[in-house]
Amino acid sequence: MVDITFAGGNSGGETVFARRPCVVVGPHASAHVTVAEMIDLGFSLSISRDVGRRFSIKPIEVTVGDNLIFKGGLYEGTATVDLGAMRISVVALDLDLVVRENEAIDRAGVRILRRACSDTVADFPAVLVTAPSRAIVSFPPDQAVVIGRSRQSGVRFDIATVSLQHARIGFESGQFWVEDLGSTNGTFVQGKQVSSRVSVAAGVPIHLGRNATVVGVTSREQLAQVENPDGVGAGLPIDADKIFPSLVSLSEVVRPSRIALRRGGTVGLGRDPGCDLWLGAPHVSRRHCEVHVSVSGDVRVTDTSTNGTVCSAGLLRSHESYETSGEPLVLDFGAGITVAICFTPEDEEKFKLAHGSPQAFASNVSPAPHGAPADALRKRRERRTTTWFNVQALGLDGAQAHGPINKFLAMMSGLTPIGRVAIVLVVVGLVGVVGILGSMLVSGLRW
């Protein structure tokens, strides 16, 4: 909390609550707290959180030389800086004394009061923000911290490449964990993009998109080791936006929205949280399919699901594969969930302009998967809706039929055995009902 009191009593005071690990107070519009009266001072103030309730205040953007009326320092809990024309007071607020996500207000009030009266402020575990500016946020082990650009984030960034709610970090059983919250530019640990909750050893950098980095620390010794200039910045991920081929999705239930495919690697797609690309829909198999990239850059999609994988070229069933070399492809998982395999930035842009349509690259795709003739592929049926009707087979076969008789035969061929038995029973039943009604009518006329 930053409280500003102006000298002379001519202007009222200002109190600002800033939920940020680093706050800039200055005369320019780029500052988080803009104070026009500071223009004559020739500098702004940077307030950065440190371990526990400690924080540092230092002058930045100096324009009047080294003759500063304030040199800066490290403070515990509270601090007051007298700048002549104004007095700035800073109070460090405790992160554990805020309402948790989806917590009822009455329960939160009781919990916060008890913790404020009984617990001391924990110094560790803590999250060290190493880029773009240094700050430290301590948090209790039983309360995870959200990282992002939103006001509700415990660790807040002002970077466009960081999503509003980018990731969540916590501490359990002596180890940190991190979970991506469906961010746009991804969360990386040791160069690998993560989607579901994964464990992270203390001291290992966690990269949020391209320009933000945080590190979990558990002691002052570890903090000093991480802040060693030889270690900071090591292992930065390659810019994921420039790696191709890549998996791209615009669906809200797909996390992360983009994965860069590395040569020689395999990526799993499915409903299982352990999959590299998580598809949060009940009709998706736990591990629905796999995407493998060869050393030469060719991509192979292999079905591992129960009901098959639909791609731009047709339906893959029971470990069937489709290979593509440089031609983009769309995987359609139903219910509006699509994932594109893009080889160039133009492919990705085309997929986005098509709003994730399964037909975004229809004109570029070969007519059949690898090792499967087109006729055989067209006749494969996926039982999606009921046990009686294969809707996809009806659409594939019916589209090729001409004339009422051929369409009727195509419809019959699109039914499962159970569906055919049901149709026969319905026809027999209708004939029986018509016979009974006819006999009753004849009997009535005779009477």
Side-chain angles (χ1 to χ4, degrees), residues 249-254 279-285 288 308 310 331-339 355-358 382 384-385 392:
S249 178
L250 304 182
S251 305
E252 295 181 355
V253 296
V254 177
L279 311 177
H283 67 276
V284 176
S285 298
H288 204 99
V310 178
L331 305 179
D332 185 6
F333 298 91
I337 303 175
T338 57
V339 177
H355 304 288
S357 170
E382 182 182 10
R384 282 189 177 180
T385 50
Q392 182 172 352

PDB file of all heavy atoms in Angstrom, residues 249-254 279-285 288 308 310 331-339 355-358 382 384-385 392:
ATOM      1  N   SER A 249      -4.151 -24.587 -31.455  1.00  0.00           N
ATOM      2  CA  SER A 249      -5.586 -24.773 -31.248  1.00  0.00           C
ATOM      3  C   SER A 249      -6.199 -23.470 -30.758  1.00  0.00           C
ATOM      4  O   SER A 249      -5.579 -22.726 -29.990  1.00  0.00           O
ATOM      5  CB  SER A 249      -5.853 -25.890 -30.234  1.00  0.00           C
ATOM      6  OG  SER A 249      -7.240 -26.039 -30.010  1.00  0.00           O
ATOM      7  N   LEU A 250      -7.413 -23.210 -31.210  1.00  0.00           N
ATOM      8  CA  LEU A 250      -8.174 -22.052 -30.751  1.00  0.00           C
ATOM      9  C   LEU A 250      -9.288 -22.445 -29.800  1.00  0.00           C
ATOM     10  O   LEU A 250     -10.064 -21.596 -29.366  1.00  0.00           O
ATOM     11  CB  LEU A 250      -8.773 -21.306 -31.961  1.00  0.00           C
ATOM     12  CG  LEU A 250      -7.789 -20.853 -33.045  1.00  0.00           C
ATOM     13  CD1 LEU A 250      -8.524 -20.087 -34.137  1.00  0.00           C
ATOM     14  CD2 LEU A 250      -6.679 -19.995 -32.459  1.00  0.00           C
ATOM     15  N   SER A 251      -9.399 -23.729 -29.488  1.00  0.00           N
ATOM     16  CA  SER A 251     -10.467 -24.227 -28.614  1.00  0.00           C
ATOM     17  C   SER A 251     -10.163 -23.876 -27.167  1.00  0.00           C
ATOM     18  O   SER A 251      -9.016 -23.967 -26.710  1.00  0.00           O
ATOM     19  CB  SER A 251     -10.617 -25.744 -28.771  1.00  0.00           C
ATOM     20  OG  SER A 251     -10.821 -26.094 -30.120  1.00  0.00           O
ATOM     21  N   GLU A 252     -11.189 -23.504 -26.420  1.00  0.00           N
ATOM     22  CA  GLU A 252     -11.004 -23.065 -25.039  1.00  0.00           C
ATOM     23  C   GLU A 252     -10.622 -24.206 -24.113  1.00  0.00           C
ATOM     24  O   GLU A 252     -10.042 -23.979 -23.051  1.00  0.00           O
ATOM     25  CB  GLU A 252     -12.288 -22.402 -24.535  1.00  0.00           C
ATOM     26  CG  GLU A 252     -12.646 -21.111 -25.278  1.00  0.00           C
ATOM     27  CD  GLU A 252     -13.903 -20.476 -24.728  1.00  0.00           C
ATOM     28  OE1 GLU A 252     -14.528 -21.097 -23.843  1.00  0.00           O
ATOM     29  OE2 GLU A 252     -14.253 -19.367 -25.169  1.00  0.00           O
ATOM     30  N   VAL A 253     -10.962 -25.447 -24.466  1.00  0.00           N
ATOM     31  CA  VAL A 253     -10.699 -26.575 -23.575  1.00  0.00           C
ATOM     32  C   VAL A 253      -9.378 -27.257 -23.899  1.00  0.00           C
ATOM     33  O   VAL A 253      -9.091 -28.337 -23.364  1.00  0.00           O
ATOM     34  CB  VAL A 253     -11.852 -27.597 -23.641  1.00  0.00           C
ATOM     35  CG1 VAL A 253     -13.135 -26.998 -23.132  1.00  0.00           C
ATOM     36  CG2 VAL A 253     -12.028 -28.126 -25.062  1.00  0.00           C
ATOM     37  N   VAL A 254      -8.558 -26.654 -24.740  1.00  0.00           N
ATOM     38  CA  VAL A 254      -7.262 -27.223 -25.104  1.00  0.00           C
ATOM     39  C   VAL A 254      -6.167 -26.416 -24.416  1.00  0.00           C
ATOM     40  O   VAL A 254      -6.118 -25.193 -24.536  1.00  0.00           O
ATOM     41  CB  VAL A 254      -7.057 -27.213 -26.631  1.00  0.00           C
ATOM     42  CG1 VAL A 254      -5.674 -27.747 -26.990  1.00  0.00           C
ATOM     43  CG2 VAL A 254      -8.130 -28.044 -27.318  1.00  0.00           C
ATOM     44  N   LEU A 279      -6.867 -32.147 -23.772  1.00  0.00           N
ATOM     45  CA  LEU A 279      -8.158 -31.859 -24.387  1.00  0.00           C
ATOM     46  C   LEU A 279      -9.244 -32.132 -23.353  1.00  0.00           C
ATOM     47  O   LEU A 279      -9.559 -33.285 -23.060  1.00  0.00           O
ATOM     48  CB  LEU A 279      -8.375 -32.729 -25.639  1.00  0.00           C
ATOM     49  CG  LEU A 279      -7.212 -32.764 -26.650  1.00  0.00           C
ATOM     50  CD1 LEU A 279      -7.538 -33.706 -27.792  1.00  0.00           C
ATOM     51  CD2 LEU A 279      -6.910 -31.380 -27.169  1.00  0.00           C
ATOM     52  N   GLY A 280      -9.798 -31.073 -22.794  1.00  0.00           N
ATOM     53  CA  GLY A 280     -10.734 -31.214 -21.680  1.00  0.00           C
ATOM     54  C   GLY A 280     -12.162 -31.452 -22.114  1.00  0.00           C
ATOM     55  O   GLY A 280     -13.026 -30.598 -21.930  1.00  0.00           O
ATOM     56  N   ALA A 281     -12.433 -32.614 -22.685  1.00  0.00           N
ATOM     57  CA  ALA A 281     -13.791 -32.977 -23.103  1.00  0.00           C
ATOM     58  C   ALA A 281     -14.001 -34.463 -22.812  1.00  0.00           C
ATOM     59  O   ALA A 281     -13.107 -35.288 -23.038  1.00  0.00           O
ATOM     60  CB  ALA A 281     -14.001 -32.697 -24.587  1.00  0.00           C
ATOM     61  N   PRO A 282     -15.187 -34.832 -22.293  1.00  0.00           N
ATOM     62  CA  PRO A 282     -15.403 -36.229 -21.884  1.00  0.00           C
ATOM     63  C   PRO A 282     -15.399 -37.228 -23.034  1.00  0.00           C
ATOM     64  O   PRO A 282     -15.110 -38.400 -22.832  1.00  0.00           O
ATOM     65  CB  PRO A 282     -16.781 -36.183 -21.190  1.00  0.00           C
ATOM     66  CG  PRO A 282     -17.445 -34.949 -21.716  1.00  0.00           C
ATOM     67  CD  PRO A 282     -16.351 -33.980 -21.977  1.00  0.00           C
ATOM     68  N   HIS A 283     -15.718 -36.782 -24.261  1.00  0.00           N
ATOM     69  CA  HIS A 283     -15.773 -37.731 -25.374  1.00  0.00           C
ATOM     70  C   HIS A 283     -14.392 -38.019 -25.960  1.00  0.00           C
ATOM     71  O   HIS A 283     -14.255 -38.884 -26.818  1.00  0.00           O
ATOM     72  CB  HIS A 283     -16.701 -37.199 -26.477  1.00  0.00           C
ATOM     73  CG  HIS A 283     -16.183 -35.980 -27.164  1.00  0.00           C
ATOM     74  ND1 HIS A 283     -16.369 -34.711 -26.663  1.00  0.00           N
ATOM     75  CD2 HIS A 283     -15.479 -35.820 -28.304  1.00  0.00           C
ATOM     76  CE1 HIS A 283     -15.821 -33.825 -27.468  1.00  0.00           C
ATOM     77  NE2 HIS A 283     -15.257 -34.478 -28.477  1.00  0.00           N
ATOM     78  N   VAL A 284     -13.387 -37.304 -25.512  1.00  0.00           N
ATOM     79  CA  VAL A 284     -12.022 -37.527 -25.979  1.00  0.00           C
ATOM     80  C   VAL A 284     -11.387 -38.633 -25.139  1.00  0.00           C
ATOM     81  O   VAL A 284     -11.538 -38.668 -23.912  1.00  0.00           O
ATOM     82  CB  VAL A 284     -11.197 -36.234 -25.877  1.00  0.00           C
ATOM     83  CG1 VAL A 284      -9.749 -36.476 -26.270  1.00  0.00           C
ATOM     84  CG2 VAL A 284     -11.811 -35.148 -26.756  1.00  0.00           C
ATOM     85  N   SER A 285     -10.681 -39.553 -25.783  1.00  0.00           N
ATOM     86  CA  SER A 285     -10.008 -40.631 -25.065  1.00  0.00           C
ATOM     87  C   SER A 285      -8.888 -40.071 -24.196  1.00  0.00           C
ATOM     88  O   SER A 285      -8.382 -38.976 -24.431  1.00  0.00           O
ATOM     89  CB  SER A 285      -9.442 -41.657 -26.054  1.00  0.00           C
ATOM     90  OG  SER A 285     -10.465 -42.266 -26.802  1.00  0.00           O
ATOM     91  N   HIS A 288      -5.657 -39.837 -26.873  1.00  0.00           N
ATOM     92  CA  HIS A 288      -6.416 -39.980 -28.100  1.00  0.00           C
ATOM     93  C   HIS A 288      -5.529 -40.262 -29.311  1.00  0.00           C
ATOM     94  O   HIS A 288      -5.844 -41.115 -30.142  1.00  0.00           O
ATOM     95  CB  HIS A 288      -7.237 -38.712 -28.351  1.00  0.00           C
ATOM     96  CG  HIS A 288      -8.423 -38.930 -29.214  1.00  0.00           C
ATOM     97  ND1 HIS A 288      -9.698 -39.097 -28.713  1.00  0.00           N
ATOM     98  CD2 HIS A 288      -8.548 -39.033 -30.556  1.00  0.00           C
ATOM     99  CE1 HIS A 288     -10.541 -39.294 -29.710  1.00  0.00           C
ATOM    100  NE2 HIS A 288      -9.864 -39.251 -30.843  1.00  0.00           N
ATOM    101  N   GLY A 308     -11.404 -43.559 -32.776  1.00  0.00           N
ATOM    102  CA  GLY A 308     -10.723 -43.053 -33.944  1.00  0.00           C
ATOM    103  C   GLY A 308     -10.431 -41.567 -33.887  1.00  0.00           C
ATOM    104  O   GLY A 308     -10.972 -40.830 -33.058  1.00  0.00           O
ATOM    105  N   VAL A 310     -10.246 -38.150 -36.340  1.00  0.00           N
ATOM    106  CA  VAL A 310     -10.644 -37.564 -37.619  1.00  0.00           C
ATOM    107  C   VAL A 310      -9.637 -36.477 -37.986  1.00  0.00           C
ATOM    108  O   VAL A 310      -9.364 -35.573 -37.197  1.00  0.00           O
ATOM    109  CB  VAL A 310     -12.055 -36.962 -37.553  1.00  0.00           C
ATOM    110  CG1 VAL A 310     -12.429 -36.328 -38.879  1.00  0.00           C
ATOM    111  CG2 VAL A 310     -13.064 -38.040 -37.179  1.00  0.00           C
ATOM    112  N   LEU A 331      -6.664 -31.736 -37.062  1.00  0.00           N
ATOM    113  CA  LEU A 331      -7.233 -32.871 -36.344  1.00  0.00           C
ATOM    114  C   LEU A 331      -8.536 -32.410 -35.709  1.00  0.00           C
ATOM    115  O   LEU A 331      -8.553 -31.429 -34.961  1.00  0.00           O
ATOM    116  CB  LEU A 331      -6.261 -33.378 -35.273  1.00  0.00           C
ATOM    117  CG  LEU A 331      -4.854 -33.745 -35.743  1.00  0.00           C
ATOM    118  CD1 LEU A 331      -4.004 -34.196 -34.567  1.00  0.00           C
ATOM    119  CD2 LEU A 331      -4.905 -34.810 -36.814  1.00  0.00           C
ATOM    120  N   ASP A 332      -9.631 -33.122 -36.005  1.00  0.00           N
ATOM    121  CA  ASP A 332     -10.955 -32.751 -35.513  1.00  0.00           C
ATOM    122  C   ASP A 332     -11.400 -33.768 -34.474  1.00  0.00           C
ATOM    123  O   ASP A 332     -11.571 -34.948 -34.779  1.00  0.00           O
ATOM    124  CB  ASP A 332     -11.947 -32.705 -36.677  1.00  0.00           C
ATOM    125  CG  ASP A 332     -13.319 -32.206 -36.247  1.00  0.00           C
ATOM    126  OD1 ASP A 332     -13.454 -31.796 -35.081  1.00  0.00           O
ATOM    127  OD2 ASP A 332     -14.244 -32.221 -37.075  1.00  0.00           O
ATOM    128  N   PHE A 333     -11.575 -33.312 -33.229  1.00  0.00           N
ATOM    129  CA  PHE A 333     -11.961 -34.192 -32.134  1.00  0.00           C
ATOM    130  C   PHE A 333     -13.441 -34.070 -31.796  1.00  0.00           C
ATOM    131  O   PHE A 333     -13.890 -34.625 -30.791  1.00  0.00           O
ATOM    132  CB  PHE A 333     -11.113 -33.893 -30.895  1.00  0.00           C
ATOM    133  CG  PHE A 333      -9.649 -34.128 -31.108  1.00  0.00           C
ATOM    134  CD1 PHE A 333      -8.822 -33.103 -31.542  1.00  0.00           C
ATOM    135  CD2 PHE A 333      -9.091 -35.375 -30.911  1.00  0.00           C
ATOM    136  CE1 PHE A 333      -7.475 -33.308 -31.756  1.00  0.00           C
ATOM    137  CE2 PHE A 333      -7.733 -35.598 -31.114  1.00  0.00           C
ATOM    138  CZ  PHE A 333      -6.932 -34.564 -31.533  1.00  0.00           C
ATOM    139  N   GLY A 334     -14.212 -33.353 -32.605  1.00  0.00           N
ATOM    140  CA  GLY A 334     -15.635 -33.202 -32.365  1.00  0.00           C
ATOM    141  C   GLY A 334     -15.934 -32.123 -31.348  1.00  0.00           C
ATOM    142  O   GLY A 334     -15.061 -31.653 -30.610  1.00  0.00           O
ATOM    143  N   ALA A 335     -17.203 -31.695 -31.309  1.00  0.00           N
ATOM    144  CA  ALA A 335     -17.671 -30.669 -30.370  1.00  0.00           C
ATOM    145  C   ALA A 335     -16.880 -29.368 -30.514  1.00  0.00           C
ATOM    146  O   ALA A 335     -16.680 -28.639 -29.532  1.00  0.00           O
ATOM    147  CB  ALA A 335     -17.598 -31.177 -28.928  1.00  0.00           C
ATOM    148  N   GLY A 336     -16.418 -29.070 -31.741  1.00  0.00           N
ATOM    149  CA  GLY A 336     -15.713 -27.821 -31.980  1.00  0.00           C
ATOM    150  C   GLY A 336     -14.264 -27.805 -31.549  1.00  0.00           C
ATOM    151  O   GLY A 336     -13.622 -26.754 -31.564  1.00  0.00           O
ATOM    152  N   ILE A 337     -13.707 -28.961 -31.169  1.00  0.00           N
ATOM    153  CA  ILE A 337     -12.318 -29.044 -30.718  1.00  0.00           C
ATOM    154  C   ILE A 337     -11.441 -29.432 -31.907  1.00  0.00           C
ATOM    155  O   ILE A 337     -11.549 -30.542 -32.437  1.00  0.00           O
ATOM    156  CB  ILE A 337     -12.151 -30.063 -29.587  1.00  0.00           C
ATOM    157  CG1 ILE A 337     -13.076 -29.710 -28.411  1.00  0.00           C
ATOM    158  CG2 ILE A 337     -10.709 -30.122 -29.125  1.00  0.00           C
ATOM    159  CD1 ILE A 337     -13.065 -30.737 -27.313  1.00  0.00           C
ATOM    160  N   THR A 338     -10.592 -28.531 -32.342  1.00  0.00           N
ATOM    161  CA  THR A 338      -9.694 -28.785 -33.464  1.00  0.00           C
ATOM    162  C   THR A 338      -8.266 -28.412 -33.080  1.00  0.00           C
ATOM    163  O   THR A 338      -8.043 -27.491 -32.287  1.00  0.00           O
ATOM    164  CB  THR A 338     -10.107 -27.986 -34.707  1.00  0.00           C
ATOM    165  OG1 THR A 338     -10.138 -26.587 -34.383  1.00  0.00           O
ATOM    166  CG2 THR A 338     -11.488 -28.426 -35.200  1.00  0.00           C
ATOM    167  N   VAL A 339      -7.321 -29.139 -33.653  1.00  0.00           N
ATOM    168  CA  VAL A 339      -5.894 -28.867 -33.452  1.00  0.00           C
ATOM    169  C   VAL A 339      -5.225 -28.907 -34.820  1.00  0.00           C
ATOM    170  O   VAL A 339      -5.387 -29.881 -35.562  1.00  0.00           O
ATOM    171  CB  VAL A 339      -5.251 -29.895 -32.513  1.00  0.00           C
ATOM    172  CG1 VAL A 339      -3.753 -29.619 -32.377  1.00  0.00           C
ATOM    173  CG2 VAL A 339      -5.908 -29.874 -31.141  1.00  0.00           C
ATOM    174  N   HIS A 355     -10.850 -19.415 -38.067  1.00  0.00           N
ATOM    175  CA  HIS A 355     -11.462 -19.589 -36.743  1.00  0.00           C
ATOM    176  C   HIS A 355     -11.423 -21.054 -36.302  1.00  0.00           C
ATOM    177  O   HIS A 355     -12.364 -21.551 -35.675  1.00  0.00           O
ATOM    178  CB  HIS A 355     -12.902 -19.067 -36.740  1.00  0.00           C
ATOM    179  CG  HIS A 355     -13.036 -17.647 -37.170  1.00  0.00           C
ATOM    180  ND1 HIS A 355     -12.619 -16.585 -36.391  1.00  0.00           N
ATOM    181  CD2 HIS A 355     -13.518 -17.104 -38.320  1.00  0.00           C
ATOM    182  CE1 HIS A 355     -12.846 -15.449 -37.029  1.00  0.00           C
ATOM    183  NE2 HIS A 355     -13.392 -15.735 -38.206  1.00  0.00           N
ATOM    184  N   GLY A 356     -10.338 -21.738 -36.641  1.00  0.00           N
ATOM    185  CA  GLY A 356     -10.169 -23.112 -36.197  1.00  0.00           C
ATOM    186  C   GLY A 356     -11.029 -24.109 -36.941  1.00  0.00           C
ATOM    187  O   GLY A 356     -11.295 -25.201 -36.413  1.00  0.00           O
ATOM    188  N   SER A 357     -11.460 -23.796 -38.152  1.00  0.00           N
ATOM    189  CA  SER A 357     -12.326 -24.697 -38.907  1.00  0.00           C
ATOM    190  C   SER A 357     -11.589 -25.975 -39.293  1.00  0.00           C
ATOM    191  O   SER A 357     -10.409 -25.935 -39.656  1.00  0.00           O
ATOM    192  CB  SER A 357     -12.830 -23.997 -40.173  1.00  0.00           C
ATOM    193  OG  SER A 357     -13.487 -24.918 -41.028  1.00  0.00           O
ATOM    194  N   PRO A 358     -12.263 -27.140 -39.251  1.00  0.00           N
ATOM    195  CA  PRO A 358     -11.624 -28.389 -39.690  1.00  0.00           C
ATOM    196  C   PRO A 358     -11.248 -28.358 -41.162  1.00  0.00           C
ATOM    197  O   PRO A 358     -10.402 -29.134 -41.604  1.00  0.00           O
ATOM    198  CB  PRO A 358     -12.700 -29.448 -39.411  1.00  0.00           C
ATOM    199  CG  PRO A 358     -13.610 -28.836 -38.392  1.00  0.00           C
ATOM    200  CD  PRO A 358     -13.602 -27.374 -38.687  1.00  0.00           C
ATOM    201  N   GLU A 382     -17.452 -44.543 -37.695  1.00  0.00           N
ATOM    202  CA  GLU A 382     -17.173 -44.246 -36.292  1.00  0.00           C
ATOM    203  C   GLU A 382     -18.484 -44.153 -35.544  1.00  0.00           C
ATOM    204  O   GLU A 382     -19.343 -43.350 -35.879  1.00  0.00           O
ATOM    205  CB  GLU A 382     -16.416 -42.916 -36.163  1.00  0.00           C
ATOM    206  CG  GLU A 382     -16.074 -42.594 -34.735  1.00  0.00           C
ATOM    207  CD  GLU A 382     -15.371 -41.264 -34.642  1.00  0.00           C
ATOM    208  OE1 GLU A 382     -15.349 -40.561 -35.660  1.00  0.00           O
ATOM    209  OE2 GLU A 382     -14.886 -40.952 -33.559  1.00  0.00           O
ATOM    210  N   ARG A 384     -20.314 -42.709 -33.072  1.00  0.00           N
ATOM    211  CA  ARG A 384     -20.190 -41.567 -32.173  1.00  0.00           C
ATOM    212  C   ARG A 384     -21.452 -41.301 -31.374  1.00  0.00           C
ATOM    213  O   ARG A 384     -21.385 -40.983 -30.201  1.00  0.00           O
ATOM    214  CB  ARG A 384     -19.873 -40.303 -32.963  1.00  0.00           C
ATOM    215  CG  ARG A 384     -18.436 -40.190 -33.391  1.00  0.00           C
ATOM    216  CD  ARG A 384     -18.245 -38.825 -33.949  1.00  0.00           C
ATOM    217  NE  ARG A 384     -16.874 -38.620 -34.311  1.00  0.00           N
ATOM    218  CZ  ARG A 384     -16.428 -37.513 -34.826  1.00  0.00           C
ATOM    219  NH1 ARG A 384     -17.247 -36.535 -35.032  1.00  0.00           N
ATOM    220  NH2 ARG A 384     -15.184 -37.360 -35.145  1.00  0.00           N
ATOM    221  N   THR A 385     -22.621 -41.353 -32.055  1.00  0.00           N
ATOM    222  CA  THR A 385     -23.820 -40.850 -31.406  1.00  0.00           C
ATOM    223  C   THR A 385     -24.617 -41.951 -30.722  1.00  0.00           C
ATOM    224  O   THR A 385     -24.943 -41.851 -29.553  1.00  0.00           O
ATOM    225  CB  THR A 385     -24.706 -40.153 -32.444  1.00  0.00           C
ATOM    226  OG1 THR A 385     -24.864 -41.022 -33.581  1.00  0.00           O
ATOM    227  CG2 THR A 385     -24.049 -38.877 -32.937  1.00  0.00           C
ATOM    228  N   GLN A 392     -21.308 -40.528 -39.208  1.00  0.00           N
ATOM    229  CA  GLN A 392     -20.236 -40.150 -40.118  1.00  0.00           C
ATOM    230  C   GLN A 392     -20.250 -41.035 -41.364  1.00  0.00           C
ATOM    231  O   GLN A 392     -20.052 -40.581 -42.477  1.00  0.00           O
ATOM    232  CB  GLN A 392     -18.894 -40.276 -39.411  1.00  0.00           C
ATOM    233  CG  GLN A 392     -17.760 -39.835 -40.316  1.00  0.00           C
ATOM    234  CD  GLN A 392     -16.463 -39.772 -39.558  1.00  0.00           C
ATOM    235  OE1 GLN A 392     -16.449 -39.921 -38.341  1.00  0.00           O
ATOM    236  NE2 GLN A 392     -15.389 -39.561 -40.278  1.00  0.00           N
TER     237      GLN A 392
END
